[in-house]
Amino acid sequence: MKFYPTIGLETHAELMTESKLFCGCPNEFGGSENNHCCIGCSGFPGALPELNKKALELIIRAGFALDCEISRFTKWERKNYFYPDLPAAYQTSQMERPVCVGGGLEININGENKFKRLNRIHLEEDAGKLTHEGNKSYADYNRTGVPLIEIVTEPDFHSSEEVVAYVEKLRRILQFADICDGKMEQGSLRCDVNISLAPENSDKLGTRTEIKNLNSIKAIGRAVEAEITRQTEILESGGKIVQQTLKYNDLTGEITPMREKADAFDYRYMIDPDIKPVVLTEEELDEFRSRLPELPQARFERYKSYGISENDVKTLLSEKVISDFFDNAVKTYDSPKSIANFIVVELLGRVNRGEADMEKLPFSASDFAELQKYVDEGKVNRDIRKDILRDMLETGKTAVQICDEKNLWIKEDTGAVEAVIDKILAANPKAVEQYRNGEVKVFGFLMGQASKELKGSAAPATVKNILEGKLKNA
């Protein structure tokens, strides 16, 4: 018997606010344990919450970006459960009246567009972090109270490929909208995946399980595949699936149970008496909408209008930091195709080799653009552009400083070029003879020798013309 998987996702995205959701503690990653806490986010009795208005704007921004209906009236509930990472023994969340309802996004699988529906987006506070060492557990409440949104889909997914494509696109939208930094390795974006299997053509869904806290794109895809395999083996052997919460180990590929999966009524949701409901006006929504940044699809169309190849456009849009760097470079030197090529071929090549970090470049996008401008204007030899870039990465100096120090500016001193070429030809009589006998491929060798000797101080076209003339008369 064949089984058909049905999958739904719950994506938790920490918001890019300066402070936590209901107190003034800093919303920062890292730092020493329990250093970003106060009596409010630590669950002390009597501490009253105050809603972070920026967090409210960011969830509304997410709703606009994902085509949701924005609720004009929204309120908060307490989700009650006892666990050491939750000092108040309840999590402030939303059950009945979330900020955003419906919506969705389109993904492309093997050339086919598929629309994946959202059920809701609600605002809630994050829990703390537990670290386990042997028979001891340590609680760090720095993350407690950090504002996050939970983006809940409908059960519209049926393969790991669809899930991965959705998470990749969602992450990119949240990044470009300045909602979440998308740093999954830091836990600012993580997914819970609900999976069930049923016989093909069945009109009923199977018993679902939930894999919690997946924090990388690859881990999400592998976890989905592993759980589909696990459930298939159980069903084929005549067993039954138990509704439970699972943990996926990305190092071993193993799935292990954590606890029986709870339903909504198990959390005893109750209205939070300390937080007032929010009523949103049309004027407020229009103001929030006006501050929505340019989203990936709009940037895609803009970049395509520059004449940049689709593959290069996709590379530029793979991370917001790359796209922003490109835009800032173009502000300095208005030659988008030239700048895009330099980024994709040279800069990202070094990033991929671990020689550079886009978030920690020692030079500005303006400095980078100026180097390309000098190349295009014929002031710097294109062949040494990558060497200058390497020096910029290693020293933090500008292209002007490096070219001045190393005398790399192109000088149209034809006498000096002729002298160098005469030297090269005299040192390579065999190559000269081969060229005269019709072996034109040796021209590249001689050209390379001359360029190496001149060290970028002459334009390639000048060197080529003089070398050709010398060879004709040799």
Side-chain angles (χ1 to χ4, degrees):
M1 180 182 296
K2 290 187 177 181
F3 297 96
Y4 188 64
T6 299
I7 305 163
L9 300 174
E10 299 166 10
T11 305
H12 298 83
E14 292 184 353
L15 302 180
M16 295 171 61
T17 60
E18 294 184 2
S19 58
K20 294 185 179 182
L21 185 54
F22 296 114
C23 69
C25 291
N27 177 14
E28 297 176 355
F29 177 77
S32 57
E33 292 82 357
N34 297 305
N35 196 40
H36 298 157
C37 305
C38 67
I39 60 173
C41 56
S42 297
F44 281 63
L48 294 177
E50 183 175 352
L51 178 62
N52 186 327
K53 293 181 180 179
K54 183 64 176 179
L56 183 64
E57 177 181 349
L58 292 185
I59 187 174
I60 293 171
R61 183 181 294 179
F64 288 143
L66 296 167
D67 294 324
C68 303
E69 174 67 29
I70 310 300
S71 300
R72 272 51 174 179
F73 173 84
T74 187
K75 62 180 181 176
W76 280 263
E77 286 92 8
R78 292 180 177 180
K79 181 180 178 180
N80 297 277
Y81 66 94
F82 181 78
Y83 203 65
D85 65 357
L86 201 64
Y90 66 83
Q91 179 188 33
T92 303
S93 183
Q94 295 185 302
M95 179 64 179
E96 291 186 2
R97 300 297 293 266
V99 178
C100 307
V101 180
L105 59 80
E106 190 173 74
I107 61 173
N108 186 281
I109 303 295
N110 298 323
E112 179 183 358
N113 291 328
K114 297 182 178 182
F115 186 78
K116 301 303 178 182
R117 298 171 299 157
L118 299 184
N119 176 279
R120 58 192 278 145
I121 307 175
H122 62 261
L123 183 61
E124 64 185 20
E125 59 181 344
D126 209 343
K129 180 181 179 181
L130 298 180
T131 303
H132 308 285
E133 295 180 5
N135 61 354
K136 295 181 180 180
S137 295
Y138 301 91
D140 178 7
Y141 295 131
N142 280 346
R143 199 173 68 185
T144 305
V146 165
L148 59 79
I149 54 175
E150 182 172 343
I151 305 169
V152 183
T153 74
E154 297 290 358
D156 282 1
F157 302 83
H158 304 287
S159 70
S160 61
E161 290 81 8
E162 290 183 352
V163 170
V164 166
Y166 164 84
V167 176
E168 287 179 333
K169 187 169 184 177
L170 177 64
R171 175 178 176 270
R172 194 155 48 244
I173 289 173
L174 296 177
Q175 278 187 324
F176 279 77
D178 291 330
I179 295 168
C180 173
D181 62 23
K183 294 179 179 179
M184 301 186 76
E185 72 281 1
Q186 295 182 3
S188 59
L189 186 72
R190 52 196 189 271
C191 286
D192 301 340
V193 183
N194 294 275
I195 303 174
S196 68
L197 263 64
E200 279 191 329
N201 302 318
S202 172
D203 58 357
K204 293 183 179 180
L205 296 177
T207 301
R208 67 188 172 99
T209 60
E210 181 180 33
I211 308 174
K212 298 286 285 186
N213 292 326
L214 297 168
N215 64 351
S216 80
I217 300 292
K218 290 183 179 179
I220 291 169
R222 288 193 285 252
V224 170
E225 289 290 341
E227 179 57 8
I228 290 174
T229 299
R230 188 187 74 88
Q231 289 193 26
T232 299
E233 291 174 350
I234 292 173
L235 294 172
E236 287 180 342
S237 65
K240 292 184 177 181
I241 305 300
V242 177
Q243 181 173 321
Q244 57 187 345
T245 299
L246 305 171
K247 180 179 181 180
Y248 174 71
N249 187 323
D250 196 31
L251 294 177
T252 64
E254 293 180 329
I255 290 180
T256 54
M258 295 171 62
R259 58 184 180 271
E260 288 190 5
K261 180 166 173 57
D263 287 310
F265 61 84
D266 295 313
Y267 293 116
R268 296 178 292 112
Y269 281 93
M270 59 172 284
I271 295 175
D272 194 308
D274 295 329
I275 307 174
K276 294 180 181 179
V278 172
V279 178
L280 295 165
T281 67
E282 296 303 320
E283 291 75 17
E284 288 173 319
L285 293 179
D286 288 341
E287 176 65 22
F288 292 152
R289 187 182 287 107
S290 70
R291 294 203 287 264
L292 181 66
E294 187 181 33
L295 297 178
Q297 186 58 40
R299 291 202 193 196
F300 180 89
E301 299 300 333
R302 177 163 61 86
Y303 291 179
K304 286 280 288 181
S305 72
Y306 296 152
I308 302 171
S309 72
E310 187 164 323
N311 284 337
D312 283 355
V313 169
K314 289 179 179 178
T315 300
L316 293 173
L317 291 173
S318 61
E319 294 286 344
K320 185 174 185 291
V321 65
I322 300 173
S323 178
D324 287 347
F325 186 88
F326 168 76
D327 282 341
N328 289 328
V330 171
K331 289 177 183 176
T332 295
Y333 176 42
D334 188 14
S335 182
K337 288 183 67 175
S338 182
I339 292 291
N341 177 267
F342 194 16
I343 291 174
V344 172
V345 175
E346 295 296 343
L347 182 57
L348 293 184
R350 294 185 181 276
V351 170
N352 293 335
R353 293 192 296 271
E355 300 172 9
D357 183 339
M358 285 300 301
E359 295 188 351
K360 299 177 182 178
L361 293 175
F363 52 78
S364 68
S366 179
D367 293 334
F368 180 87
E370 285 182 345
L371 171 56
Q372 184 59 44
K373 182 180 180 182
Y374 298 143
V375 171
D376 290 346
E377 290 177 345
K379 295 178 180 178
V380 172
N381 194 309
R382 183 175 297 273
D383 293 338
I384 64 170
R385 178 182 66 170
K386 61 182 179 181
D387 298 322
I388 298 173
L389 177 61
R390 182 196 61 228
D391 286 350
M392 290 171 66
L393 287 167
E394 293 176 352
T395 67
K397 295 179 180 179
T398 66
V400 171
Q401 291 173 317
I402 293 168
C403 289
D404 284 344
E405 291 174 3
K406 296 189 174 184
N407 195 27
L408 299 178
W409 298 108
I410 288 178
K411 307 175 191 67
E412 293 303 324
D413 186 345
T414 56
V417 174
E418 287 184 5
V420 167
I421 291 177
D422 287 341
K423 177 182 174 182
I424 297 299
L425 296 180
N428 297 276
K430 184 178 179 180
V432 174
E433 186 64 26
Q434 287 175 313
Y435 182 83
R436 294 178 62 188
N437 292 332
E439 296 184 37
V440 293
K441 64 181 181 180
V442 299
F443 183 85
F445 164 75
L446 294 170
M447 183 75 179
Q449 292 297 305
S451 298
K452 183 178 179 181
E453 184 75 20
L454 289 163
K455 297 179 180 179
S457 62
T462 301
V463 179
K464 179 176 181 292
N465 290 335
I466 293 176
L467 177 59
E468 286 177 339
K470 295 279 186 181
L471 287 170
K472 287 180 181 178
N473 298 321

